[in-house]
């Protein structure tokens, strides 16, 4: 897609700082780095979100993520590493081309995701799971 910034990066039409690439994925530095070593792992084909990933792309993106995560661990020895991935505006997605964030983490680094746990009763979890099982392809 010509108006997609990550397609432009994959095609080399706009510059990026690459860490690793293979046939299906590209790992590169996020210009909005939260902590040093913050990378994005994008699929090369234009797939908007997780719903569009086939098995090959899904496997490829996680293979690359695991590999560059080990590199981040070796290079920075962070106290932690967060994988973040947003689908849709409500989830915080701003670039509509599938990517994972890998963010090296430190105590008190200021990165926060509010997590309003509701702890519903087991029966509610059972009902939710049944609804999901019925929707599986
Ligand atoms: P999202 O909010 O969709 O999960 O994350 C999109 C990320 O892409 C943001 O963290 C933003 O900093 C990054 N980003 C947006 N445009 C560019 C760009 O042109 N180059 C790079 N390297 N990162 C970008
Ligand atoms: Zn794209």
């Amino acid at each position: 897609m010509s108006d997609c910034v990550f397609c432009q990066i994959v095609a080399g039409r706009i510059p990026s700082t690459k860490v690793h690439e293979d046939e299906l994925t590209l790992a590169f530095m996020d210009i909005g780095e939260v902590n040093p070593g913050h990378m994005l792992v994008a699929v090369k084909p234009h797939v908007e979100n997780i719903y569009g990933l086939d098995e090959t792309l899904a496997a490829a993106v996680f293979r690359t993520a695991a590999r560059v995560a080990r590199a981040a661990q070796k290079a920075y020895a962070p106290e932690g590493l967060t994988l973040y991935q947003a689908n849709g505006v409500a989830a915080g997605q701003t670039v509509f081309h599938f990517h994972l964030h890998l963010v090296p983490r430190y105590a008190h680094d200021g990165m926060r995701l509010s997590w309003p746990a509701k702890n519903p009763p087991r029966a509610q979890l059972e009902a939710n799971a049944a609804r999901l099982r019925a929707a599986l392809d």
Side-chain angles (χ1 to χ4, degrees), residues 59-103:
V61 79
F62 244 82
R63 192 179 310 117
T64 298
R67 184 160 181 210
V68 298
R70 287 189 288 271
Q73 173 61 25
K74 199 167 155 187
Y76 289 96
E79 295 168 19
L81 181 89
T82 294
L83 261 62
Y84 170 83
Q85 197 274 315
N87 301 282
V89 172
Q93 188 174 12
T94 60
V95 174
F96 296 88
H97 177 132
F98 182 89
H99 58 280
L100 292 173
H101 292 254
L102 282 84
V103 188

Side-chain angles (χ1 to χ4, degrees), residues 2 7 9 15 21-22 24 26 46-47 49 51 54 64 77 84 92 98 107-108 112 114 122 126 128:
S2 55
C7 282
I9 284 173
E21 73 179 305
D22 58 25
L24 295 175
L26 174 64
H46 182 81
V47 174
N49 52 39
Y51 314 121
D54 63 19
T64 298
Y84 170 83
F98 182 89
H108 315 298
R112 259 184 297 280
S114 164
R122 170 78 50 191
E126 292 291 350
N128 295 347

Side-chain angles (χ1 to χ4, degrees), residues 5-6 9 14 28-32 38 40 84 86 92-95 99 101:
V5 66
F6 287 179
I9 284 173
I14 64 171
F28 58 106
M29 306 312 290
D30 190 323
I31 44 165
H38 179 176
L40 302 174
Y84 170 83
Q93 188 174 12
T94 60
V95 174
H99 58 280
H101 292 254

